Amino acid sequence: MGWAIHLLFACFFGALQKAMVSAHDAAVPVNVGVILDVSSSAGKKSWTSISMAVDDFYATHSNCTTRVVLHLRNSKNDVVGAAAAAVDLLKNFQVQAIIGPETSTEASFVINLGNQSQVPVLSFSATSPSLSPARAPFFVRTTLNDSSQVGAIAAIVRYFGWREVVPVYEDSEYGAGVIPFLVDALQAVDSGVPYRSVIPSAAAEEEVDKELYKLMTMQTRVFIVHMLPALGARFFQRAKNLGMMSGGFVWITTDGITDVLEELDHILRITEAMQGVIAVRPLVERSEDVVNFTARFRSRFRQENPTIKAADPSVFQLWAYDTTWATTMAVENLGPKRSSFRRPQSGDHSTDLDVIGSSESGPALLKAILNTRFKGLAGDFRLLGGQLQSSAYEIVNVIGNSARVIEFWTPKLGISKQLDTAVGAGLNSIIWPGISAAVPKGWEIPTGGKKLRIGVPVKKGFNQFVNVGWEPSTNRTVVTGYCIDIFKAVMEALPYAVTYEFFPFRPSANSYDHLIYQVYLKNFDAVVGDTTITAERTLYVDFTMPYTESGVSMVVPVKEDPRKMWVFLKPLTPNLWLVSFAFFVFMGFTVLVIEHSNAEFGRQPSERLGKVFYFVFSVLVFSQTESLRSNFSRIAMVVWMFVVLILTSSYTASLTSRLTVQQLQPTAADLKQLLSTGAYIGYQDGSFAAEILKRMGFKSSKLRHFSTSDQYAEALLQGGAKGGVDAIFDEIPYLKLFLSEHCNGFTMLSWTYKTDGFGFVFQKGSPLVPDVSRAVLNVTEGDKMVAIQNKWFRDTICPSQNNAVTSASLNLYQFSGLFLITGVVSTLAALIFLFLHSRNSTIRGPLIRNILHGPQNPNQAHP
């Protein structure tokens, strides 16, 4: 029986094998074209990856109704070669899809053929944003769009605060496609692009060196390199030979070079020339499937290319594998379909394009590919808008023979140590070119470069701020002043040397805006002087932090107080006068009630009222002659005398101060008063104050300009009615200088129009601005600032400034506590007295009569 069982199993497995072979033979073949540069190592590796994907798919899917048949064509790294290969595949093999070609330039021609023939073109390496599935519906990008990495690059630039960056890119569709997106991303983080360096794809060493020399003459030291590996390797070799991979330089590369860095290093030893480079590349998790695929890939590649040293697959080979798997899966999901091409009914068919026609199954296959979802080697394969969606990038640092991962970047979390949580970035661990841990500041004064051209205003007055003179002994211009000394101190406080030269400039129409505009026109690198920071000026130049007091105010003449004859009323406010008088009357009635039986106050009503009130008021000078008989009235009067003592002492002190100090008052309180009276206002030549006054409603005819502080004083003394002005409207530093030179007769009002003070002017986006601003803060907060101020400005205290501020009048609130105590004590004394009086029936009747007429019996007892 044993041999029968063995015979039965043999027959079963033989039948099963025949069935599988027949099923394989019964699968409908679907032609798929592949266009690669098979003469290159990258092309050979991609072909190995594509072939493995087809084999692996059918090894795990044994009952397929379709079978993808690959047809490889060589593009020869040439646009015409790629186009010819595509025509051949479409015409002679009627392929239903094309995988490749590798470069964006080649892909643009093949994509046009795919659109015309309705054949999907899937590229795993054409990354240029200029190739858009939105404009070419049969183009499927199964790699990441180059524009997806600009966010990571901009985040690095922002992290280190670099204000200017120079893109260096290949003069090709691949190189130029990402630049608009990169520039926008950099501008979003306040980083400018002063120059764009373009290098031809086939540039000779002399052309590369020429462009590198040009970069060396610039201040900017942060460069973003976007090139294909072939040109990128030669570029960094030349940069190293010219000494541009040393300290102070920053090199950031896109994933075009980084994705194949290990492969380039095996061939060209490129990492030696890229030490300290920062790069970004798509994140690919080192999963078990990737490890297994890598081992099989190396074995198969060695078998197919025994003369080439085996290397690990790059992310492009992983994308090639996923692209082929997705195509094969879509073909199977679509099932056997009519795969012929519809020939055009019209035309002379004189060219191959006329003969090709359009694929009948192409649109359905495209839809199937776009709907394909699976977990690929490079991550989730998910197409949105015809292209693969990015998830995360690695930020790497080239050190030694490899790129070390230092951080991750995602669109949601930005730079982070972990992918799933926002953990603080640690980019300070980077090793920079020159094997330095110090973060480059991003710019340098180039060796042999020109000095900074500093414009300084030429003006007539207020020369303490800026003064341009001529020194006959040396036959040269000398620039001095408060602003100049501060600028020199700031330059000395910088952590590096900056050479500069002053150039006097006389603004046209005496307007500082004209001088500042010269910086925008790049006639000057900066302007140093008494230049005020305004919102309008910041639209076209950058200012440093202010180094002077901010604000615009007014100086007006002062005059004697015309109400001096009534100065004796000034110590007390009207309310206090009224309440004090009321309490005198109240205390008089209180004493009259309690002392109704006191014969010393007389017997007639008029006599009693007169003596009682005289008694109360005489407390002011303590000259009362009548005696009090009741303890209640004595208690009330003691408290009242205490109040009067404090009130008279305070009044005497305040009145003495007002009589002994000269009383001066400003002739105007604020601009509204001057505007309503039609006053004339003066301002300084070239100042923006005139525009402020006009916006406030002053007519040009009411404005008069002056140059010096002496002219200010003369105009104020003349007054607006006699050809002068009624007030000077200028910035606080100028007004303080004016008052230090002209003390008497003028005062500065407390009213202030807010401005930002004086600042140094630099070109928009200048990398000097942050460092100079920090140095300004260091200087203004130190002793050097005090020394400069003492050098140029006299610390004079003007009597008119002090006298204009007089002591305030005494008000009711300050004495309300004393009046409260007096009122309570006096009221209680009167009430207690009346209560006791009401209990004495013998005297209850004559109380009112006694208050008005006094006691009838002089010996009548007093309670």
Side-chain angles (χ1 to χ4, degrees), residues 524-561:
F524 293 131
D525 298 304
V527 165
V528 173
D530 46 350
T531 50
T532 304
I533 303 170
T534 66
E536 183 180 357
R537 291 170 177 174
T538 57
L539 296 177
Y540 51 92
V541 295
D542 279 346
F543 284 91
T544 64
M545 292 290 290
Y547 57 88
T548 63
E549 198 174 353
S550 63
V552 178
S553 189
M554 287 192 304
V555 165
V556 296
V558 293
K559 61 181 179 180
E560 291 262 352
D561 189 352

mmCIF file of all heavy atoms in Angstrom, residues 524-561:
data_model
loop_
_atom_site.group_PDB
_atom_site.id
_atom_site.type_symbol
_atom_site.label_atom_id
_atom_site.label_comp_id
_atom_site.label_asym_id
_atom_site.label_seq_id
_atom_site.Cartn_x
_atom_site.Cartn_y
_atom_site.Cartn_z
ATOM 1 N N PHE A 524 24.701 104.077 -0.425
ATOM 2 C CA PHE A 524 25.362 103.945 0.870
ATOM 3 C C PHE A 524 24.985 102.599 1.469
ATOM 4 O O PHE A 524 23.890 102.074 1.228
ATOM 5 C CB PHE A 524 24.934 105.061 1.830
ATOM 6 C CG PHE A 524 25.397 106.434 1.431
ATOM 7 C CD1 PHE A 524 24.497 107.495 1.402
ATOM 8 C CD2 PHE A 524 26.722 106.677 1.103
ATOM 9 C CE1 PHE A 524 24.900 108.759 1.040
ATOM 10 C CE2 PHE A 524 27.136 107.942 0.729
ATOM 11 C CZ PHE A 524 26.237 108.988 0.692
ATOM 12 N N ASP A 525 25.913 102.062 2.260
ATOM 13 C CA ASP A 525 25.599 100.843 3.012
ATOM 14 C C ASP A 525 24.830 101.156 4.288
ATOM 15 O O ASP A 525 24.105 100.311 4.810
ATOM 16 C CB ASP A 525 26.886 100.085 3.369
ATOM 17 C CG ASP A 525 27.645 99.639 2.131
ATOM 18 O OD1 ASP A 525 27.034 98.939 1.303
ATOM 19 O OD2 ASP A 525 28.824 100.002 1.981
ATOM 20 N N ALA A 526 25.012 102.374 4.799
ATOM 21 C CA ALA A 526 24.341 102.771 6.040
ATOM 22 C C ALA A 526 24.329 104.288 6.134
ATOM 23 O O ALA A 526 25.037 104.970 5.388
ATOM 24 C CB ALA A 526 25.036 102.167 7.262
ATOM 25 N N VAL A 527 23.527 104.806 7.042
ATOM 26 C CA VAL A 527 23.494 106.232 7.363
ATOM 27 C C VAL A 527 23.625 106.373 8.866
ATOM 28 O O VAL A 527 22.923 105.697 9.634
ATOM 29 C CB VAL A 527 22.186 106.894 6.880
ATOM 30 C CG1 VAL A 527 22.001 108.264 7.531
ATOM 31 C CG2 VAL A 527 22.187 107.050 5.364
ATOM 32 N N VAL A 528 24.535 107.245 9.293
ATOM 33 C CA VAL A 528 24.758 107.512 10.712
ATOM 34 C C VAL A 528 24.497 108.986 10.952
ATOM 35 O O VAL A 528 25.069 109.841 10.277
ATOM 36 C CB VAL A 528 26.186 107.137 11.140
ATOM 37 C CG1 VAL A 528 26.455 107.590 12.574
ATOM 38 C CG2 VAL A 528 26.392 105.638 11.008
ATOM 39 N N GLY A 529 23.637 109.287 11.900
ATOM 40 C CA GLY A 529 23.303 110.668 12.214
ATOM 41 C C GLY A 529 22.061 110.721 13.063
ATOM 42 O O GLY A 529 21.612 109.706 13.613
ATOM 43 N N ASP A 530 21.498 111.892 13.171
ATOM 44 C CA ASP A 530 20.293 112.076 13.964
ATOM 45 C C ASP A 530 19.065 111.728 13.128
ATOM 46 O O ASP A 530 18.196 112.563 12.870
ATOM 47 C CB ASP A 530 20.214 113.501 14.511
ATOM 48 C CG ASP A 530 20.536 114.554 13.441
ATOM 49 O OD1 ASP A 530 21.006 114.172 12.348
ATOM 50 O OD2 ASP A 530 20.326 115.743 13.709
ATOM 51 N N THR A 531 19.002 110.477 12.711
ATOM 52 C CA THR A 531 17.917 109.980 11.860
ATOM 53 C C THR A 531 16.885 109.283 12.733
ATOM 54 O O THR A 531 17.204 108.360 13.473
ATOM 55 C CB THR A 531 18.456 109.005 10.800
ATOM 56 O OG1 THR A 531 19.284 108.026 11.441
ATOM 57 C CG2 THR A 531 19.259 109.729 9.762
ATOM 58 N N THR A 532 15.650 109.723 12.610
ATOM 59 C CA THR A 532 14.579 109.205 13.455
ATOM 60 C C THR A 532 13.933 107.978 12.816
ATOM 61 O O THR A 532 13.727 107.926 11.608
ATOM 62 C CB THR A 532 13.509 110.284 13.674
ATOM 63 O OG1 THR A 532 14.139 111.441 14.219
ATOM 64 C CG2 THR A 532 12.435 109.806 14.630
ATOM 65 N N ILE A 533 13.608 107.016 13.659
ATOM 66 C CA ILE A 533 12.935 105.804 13.196
ATOM 67 C C ILE A 533 11.449 106.113 13.022
ATOM 68 O O ILE A 533 10.768 106.502 13.970
ATOM 69 C CB ILE A 533 13.112 104.666 14.218
ATOM 70 C CG1 ILE A 533 14.595 104.399 14.476
ATOM 71 C CG2 ILE A 533 12.429 103.391 13.741
ATOM 72 C CD1 ILE A 533 14.859 103.464 15.633
ATOM 73 N N THR A 534 10.953 105.935 11.798
ATOM 74 C CA THR A 534 9.527 106.115 11.525
ATOM 75 C C THR A 534 9.011 104.903 10.767
ATOM 76 O O THR A 534 9.781 104.186 10.117
ATOM 77 C CB THR A 534 9.260 107.387 10.705
ATOM 78 O OG1 THR A 534 9.847 107.232 9.396
ATOM 79 C CG2 THR A 534 9.835 108.618 11.386
ATOM 80 N N ALA A 535 7.705 104.680 10.847
ATOM 81 C CA ALA A 535 7.103 103.524 10.184
ATOM 82 C C ALA A 535 7.274 103.606 8.673
ATOM 83 O O ALA A 535 7.528 102.603 8.005
ATOM 84 C CB ALA A 535 5.620 103.430 10.552
ATOM 85 N N GLU A 536 7.141 104.793 8.102
ATOM 86 C CA GLU A 536 7.251 104.950 6.652
ATOM 87 C C GLU A 536 8.659 104.617 6.167
ATOM 88 O O GLU A 536 8.838 103.968 5.134
ATOM 89 C CB GLU A 536 6.875 106.378 6.263
ATOM 90 C CG GLU A 536 6.893 106.628 4.762
ATOM 91 C CD GLU A 536 6.507 108.054 4.414
ATOM 92 O OE1 GLU A 536 6.173 108.819 5.335
ATOM 93 O OE2 GLU A 536 6.543 108.386 3.215
ATOM 94 N N ARG A 537 9.669 105.009 6.928
ATOM 95 C CA ARG A 537 11.041 104.748 6.510
ATOM 96 C C ARG A 537 11.402 103.272 6.598
ATOM 97 O O ARG A 537 12.242 102.783 5.839
ATOM 98 C CB ARG A 537 12.002 105.581 7.365
ATOM 99 C CG ARG A 537 11.922 107.076 7.081
ATOM 100 C CD ARG A 537 12.701 107.897 8.092
ATOM 101 N NE ARG A 537 12.688 109.326 7.774
ATOM 102 C CZ ARG A 537 13.201 110.272 8.548
ATOM 103 N NH1 ARG A 537 13.751 109.941 9.714
ATOM 104 N NH2 ARG A 537 13.142 111.536 8.177
ATOM 105 N N THR A 538 10.799 102.547 7.522
ATOM 106 C CA THR A 538 11.112 101.125 7.668
ATOM 107 C C THR A 538 10.588 100.292 6.508
ATOM 108 O O THR A 538 10.889 99.101 6.430
ATOM 109 C CB THR A 538 10.527 100.579 8.978
ATOM 110 O OG1 THR A 538 9.103 100.801 8.995
ATOM 111 C CG2 THR A 538 11.154 101.255 10.188
ATOM 112 N N LEU A 539 9.813 100.885 5.622
ATOM 113 C CA LEU A 539 9.326 100.141 4.463
ATOM 114 C C LEU A 539 10.445 99.836 3.472
ATOM 115 O O LEU A 539 10.363 98.865 2.715
ATOM 116 C CB LEU A 539 8.207 100.928 3.761
ATOM 117 C CG LEU A 539 6.927 101.163 4.571
ATOM 118 C CD1 LEU A 539 5.957 102.022 3.779
ATOM 119 C CD2 LEU A 539 6.285 99.837 4.948
ATOM 120 N N TYR A 540 11.512 100.668 3.466
ATOM 121 C CA TYR A 540 12.565 100.442 2.475
ATOM 122 C C TYR A 540 13.965 100.408 3.070
ATOM 123 O O TYR A 540 14.939 100.192 2.332
ATOM 124 C CB TYR A 540 12.492 101.506 1.365
ATOM 125 C CG TYR A 540 12.445 102.947 1.839
ATOM 126 C CD1 TYR A 540 13.623 103.672 1.982
ATOM 127 C CD2 TYR A 540 11.248 103.577 2.127
ATOM 128 C CE1 TYR A 540 13.604 104.992 2.413
ATOM 129 C CE2 TYR A 540 11.212 104.895 2.553
ATOM 130 C CZ TYR A 540 12.392 105.599 2.688
ATOM 131 O OH TYR A 540 12.365 106.903 3.117
ATOM 132 N N VAL A 541 14.124 100.592 4.363
ATOM 133 C CA VAL A 541 15.420 100.415 5.022
ATOM 134 C C VAL A 541 15.183 99.740 6.363
ATOM 135 O O VAL A 541 14.054 99.643 6.843
ATOM 136 C CB VAL A 541 16.166 101.758 5.239
ATOM 137 C CG1 VAL A 541 16.544 102.400 3.924
ATOM 138 C CG2 VAL A 541 15.327 102.696 6.103
ATOM 139 N N ASP A 542 16.273 99.265 6.967
ATOM 140 C CA ASP A 542 16.216 98.683 8.308
ATOM 141 C C ASP A 542 16.907 99.617 9.289
ATOM 142 O O ASP A 542 17.955 100.202 8.975
ATOM 143 C CB ASP A 542 16.907 97.315 8.340
ATOM 144 C CG ASP A 542 16.017 96.212 7.813
ATOM 145 O OD1 ASP A 542 14.805 96.448 7.676
ATOM 146 O OD2 ASP A 542 16.529 95.111 7.532
ATOM 147 N N PHE A 543 16.329 99.749 10.472
ATOM 148 C CA PHE A 543 16.909 100.551 11.549
ATOM 149 C C PHE A 543 17.418 99.631 12.656
ATOM 150 O O PHE A 543 16.871 98.545 12.880
ATOM 151 C CB PHE A 543 15.867 101.507 12.152
ATOM 152 C CG PHE A 543 15.576 102.710 11.307
ATOM 153 C CD1 PHE A 543 14.562 102.688 10.376
ATOM 154 C CD2 PHE A 543 16.308 103.879 11.458
ATOM 155 C CE1 PHE A 543 14.273 103.794 9.601
ATOM 156 C CE2 PHE A 543 16.039 104.996 10.687
ATOM 157 C CZ PHE A 543 15.022 104.957 9.758
ATOM 158 N N THR A 544 18.453 100.095 13.341
ATOM 159 C CA THR A 544 18.894 99.396 14.543
ATOM 160 C C THR A 544 18.001 99.806 15.713
ATOM 161 O O THR A 544 17.075 100.609 15.555
ATOM 162 C CB THR A 544 20.350 99.756 14.869
ATOM 163 O OG1 THR A 544 20.427 101.172 15.169
ATOM 164 C CG2 THR A 544 21.257 99.459 13.691
ATOM 165 N N MET A 545 18.291 99.262 16.873
ATOM 166 C CA MET A 545 17.601 99.712 18.079
ATOM 167 C C MET A 545 17.896 101.202 18.304
ATOM 168 O O MET A 545 18.991 101.673 18.005
ATOM 169 C CB MET A 545 18.084 98.910 19.285
ATOM 170 C CG MET A 545 17.678 97.447 19.255
ATOM 171 S SD MET A 545 15.909 97.218 19.496
ATOM 172 C CE MET A 545 15.757 97.667 21.216
ATOM 173 N N PRO A 546 16.933 101.973 18.829
ATOM 174 C CA PRO A 546 17.181 103.399 19.066
ATOM 175 C C PRO A 546 18.207 103.615 20.177
ATOM 176 O O PRO A 546 18.319 102.809 21.103
ATOM 177 C CB PRO A 546 15.808 103.935 19.475
ATOM 178 C CG PRO A 546 15.067 102.747 19.985
ATOM 179 C CD PRO A 546 15.559 101.581 19.204
ATOM 180 N N TYR A 547 18.938 104.709 20.074
ATOM 181 C CA TYR A 547 19.964 105.008 21.079
ATOM 182 C C TYR A 547 19.699 106.359 21.765
ATOM 183 O O TYR A 547 20.543 106.836 22.526
ATOM 184 C CB TYR A 547 21.363 105.003 20.453
ATOM 185 C CG TYR A 547 21.561 105.963 19.295
ATOM 186 C CD1 TYR A 547 21.966 107.274 19.513
ATOM 187 C CD2 TYR A 547 21.347 105.539 17.987
ATOM 188 C CE1 TYR A 547 22.142 108.147 18.458
ATOM 189 C CE2 TYR A 547 21.523 106.399 16.921
ATOM 190 C CZ TYR A 547 21.927 107.704 17.164
ATOM 191 O OH TYR A 547 22.106 108.566 16.115
ATOM 192 N N THR A 548 18.553 106.970 21.496
ATOM 193 C CA THR A 548 18.202 108.230 22.173
ATOM 194 C C THR A 548 16.786 108.135 22.724
ATOM 195 O O THR A 548 16.029 107.215 22.398
ATOM 196 C CB THR A 548 18.266 109.431 21.208
ATOM 197 O OG1 THR A 548 17.284 109.240 20.173
ATOM 198 C CG2 THR A 548 19.631 109.594 20.613
ATOM 199 N N GLU A 549 16.453 109.131 23.514
ATOM 200 C CA GLU A 549 15.109 109.248 24.053
ATOM 201 C C GLU A 549 14.125 109.468 22.907
ATOM 202 O O GLU A 549 14.435 110.144 21.923
ATOM 203 C CB GLU A 549 15.076 110.433 25.017
ATOM 204 C CG GLU A 549 13.907 110.444 25.975
ATOM 205 C CD GLU A 549 14.021 111.566 26.997
ATOM 206 O OE1 GLU A 549 15.079 112.234 27.013
ATOM 207 O OE2 GLU A 549 13.065 111.773 27.739
ATOM 208 N N SER A 550 12.946 108.884 23.031
ATOM 209 C CA SER A 550 11.977 108.965 21.947
ATOM 210 C C SER A 550 10.924 110.019 22.236
ATOM 211 O O SER A 550 10.693 110.399 23.383
ATOM 212 C CB SER A 550 11.297 107.601 21.743
ATOM 213 O OG SER A 550 10.579 107.233 22.902
ATOM 214 N N GLY A 551 10.278 110.500 21.180
ATOM 215 C CA GLY A 551 9.162 111.411 21.330
ATOM 216 C C GLY A 551 9.410 112.784 20.727
ATOM 217 O O GLY A 551 10.545 113.221 20.559
ATOM 218 N N VAL A 552 8.322 113.461 20.375
ATOM 219 C CA VAL A 552 8.340 114.828 19.874
ATOM 220 C C VAL A 552 7.495 115.667 20.824
ATOM 221 O O VAL A 552 6.403 115.267 21.222
ATOM 222 C CB VAL A 552 7.765 114.908 18.448
ATOM 223 C CG1 VAL A 552 7.747 116.345 17.958
ATOM 224 C CG2 VAL A 552 8.577 114.044 17.503
ATOM 225 N N SER A 553 8.000 116.845 21.202
ATOM 226 C CA SER A 553 7.279 117.701 22.137
ATOM 227 C C SER A 553 7.378 119.157 21.685
ATOM 228 O O SER A 553 7.803 119.438 20.553
ATOM 229 C CB SER A 553 7.822 117.525 23.548
ATOM 230 O OG SER A 553 7.002 118.194 24.490
ATOM 231 N N MET A 554 7.009 120.086 22.580
ATOM 232 C CA MET A 554 6.990 121.510 22.239
ATOM 233 C C MET A 554 7.697 122.327 23.303
ATOM 234 O O MET A 554 7.650 122.002 24.496
ATOM 235 C CB MET A 554 5.548 122.017 22.118
ATOM 236 C CG MET A 554 4.829 121.560 20.883
ATOM 237 S SD MET A 554 3.285 122.511 20.694
ATOM 238 C CE MET A 554 2.489 122.200 22.253
ATOM 239 N N VAL A 555 8.329 123.385 22.848
ATOM 240 C CA VAL A 555 8.878 124.415 23.730
ATOM 241 C C VAL A 555 8.102 125.704 23.471
ATOM 242 O O VAL A 555 7.908 126.093 22.310
ATOM 243 C CB VAL A 555 10.382 124.618 23.486
ATOM 244 C CG1 VAL A 555 10.859 125.922 24.121
ATOM 245 C CG2 VAL A 555 11.176 123.461 24.057
ATOM 246 N N VAL A 556 7.654 126.341 24.551
ATOM 247 C CA VAL A 556 6.913 127.593 24.435
ATOM 248 C C VAL A 556 7.506 128.600 25.418
ATOM 249 O O VAL A 556 8.168 128.231 26.387
ATOM 250 C CB VAL A 556 5.412 127.391 24.748
ATOM 251 C CG1 VAL A 556 4.766 126.474 23.727
ATOM 252 C CG2 VAL A 556 5.225 126.842 26.163
ATOM 253 N N PRO A 557 7.273 129.891 25.199
ATOM 254 C CA PRO A 557 7.720 130.889 26.188
ATOM 255 C C PRO A 557 6.916 130.779 27.476
ATOM 256 O O PRO A 557 5.805 130.236 27.494
ATOM 257 C CB PRO A 557 7.458 132.230 25.480
ATOM 258 C CG PRO A 557 7.287 131.883 24.036
ATOM 259 C CD PRO A 557 6.717 130.509 23.987
ATOM 260 N N VAL A 558 7.487 131.289 28.554
ATOM 261 C CA VAL A 558 6.778 131.333 29.828
ATOM 262 C C VAL A 558 6.497 132.793 30.183
ATOM 263 O O VAL A 558 7.175 133.710 29.712
ATOM 264 C CB VAL A 558 7.600 130.660 30.955
ATOM 265 C CG1 VAL A 558 7.723 129.180 30.700
ATOM 266 C CG2 VAL A 558 8.969 131.299 31.080
ATOM 267 N N LYS A 559 5.483 133.028 31.037
ATOM 268 C CA LYS A 559 5.101 134.382 31.438
ATOM 269 C C LYS A 559 4.680 134.367 32.905
ATOM 270 O O LYS A 559 4.366 133.321 33.472
ATOM 271 C CB LYS A 559 3.961 134.885 30.563
ATOM 272 C CG LYS A 559 2.693 134.030 30.654
ATOM 273 C CD LYS A 559 1.594 134.541 29.764
ATOM 274 C CE LYS A 559 0.365 133.655 29.865
ATOM 275 N NZ LYS A 559 -0.740 134.136 28.998
ATOM 276 N N GLU A 560 4.697 135.563 33.499
ATOM 277 C CA GLU A 560 4.281 135.706 34.894
ATOM 278 C C GLU A 560 2.788 135.390 35.026
ATOM 279 O O GLU A 560 1.988 135.700 34.130
ATOM 280 C CB GLU A 560 4.546 137.126 35.374
ATOM 281 C CG GLU A 560 6.008 137.479 35.506
ATOM 282 C CD GLU A 560 6.510 137.347 36.928
ATOM 283 O OE1 GLU A 560 5.678 137.129 37.822
ATOM 284 O OE2 GLU A 560 7.716 137.468 37.136
ATOM 285 N N ASP A 561 2.414 134.789 36.145
ATOM 286 C CA ASP A 561 1.007 134.467 36.399
ATOM 287 C C ASP A 561 0.239 135.774 36.619
ATOM 288 O O ASP A 561 0.500 136.502 37.585
ATOM 289 C CB ASP A 561 0.905 133.567 37.627
ATOM 290 C CG ASP A 561 -0.511 133.024 37.811
ATOM 291 O OD1 ASP A 561 -1.416 133.474 37.080
ATOM 292 O OD2 ASP A 561 -0.696 132.166 38.693
#
